[in-house]
Amino acid sequence: MFTFVISLVVVGAALVVATRVALSEAPLPAKPATPAAGRVRGAPAKIDPSLVIVEHESVTASAGQRLRSGLLLVLLVAFLGAVAALVLLVGGAVVLTGLRSAVQ
């Protein structure tokens, strides 16, 4: 019983952390390691305009989309937990059956 309670606490904490990450704001766009091409050894003196990456507007998820994502995450984790419990139950039944037949 004690192990079951601990596993529930761990799964609950994982769900809280995952939901906070899913509902948090999007990360800032990645910055280049070097701010100017002139400082990089071997870089061309002029940058070809066709190679310049244009920053696009960031897309933010609505509250409904975030809530739906959190709910989907909870359902997936619950489903995976149920599958893991079923696998352990079947594995335990196989081991117990083998032990019973070995003792007889």
Side-chain angles (χ1 to χ4, degrees):
M1 181 70 172
F2 184 70
T3 306
F4 178 69
V5 172
I6 290 176
S7 65
L8 285 179
V9 170
V10 169
V11 168
L15 285 174
V16 167
V17 169
T19 304
R20 281 189 184 174
V21 169
L23 295 179
S24 68
E25 294 295 323
L28 297 174
K31 295 180 181 178
T34 55
R39 296 182 184 175
V40 179
R41 278 190 234 157
K46 292 185 178 180
I47 298 175
D48 186 11
S50 65
L51 299 176
V52 174
I53 299 173
V54 179
E55 291 187 26
H56 297 286
E57 289 184 22
S58 62
V59 178
T60 57
S62 68
Q65 289 173 332
R66 291 181 180 183
L67 184 64
R68 207 168 40 232
S69 297
L71 182 64
L72 182 62
L73 178 66
V74 168
L75 289 175
L76 285 173
V77 169
F79 175 73
L80 289 175
V83 168
L86 182 63
V87 167
L88 288 174
L89 182 68
V90 170
V94 168
V95 168
L96 284 177
T97 304
L99 287 174
R100 283 184 187 161
S101 65
V103 170
Q104 290 178 355

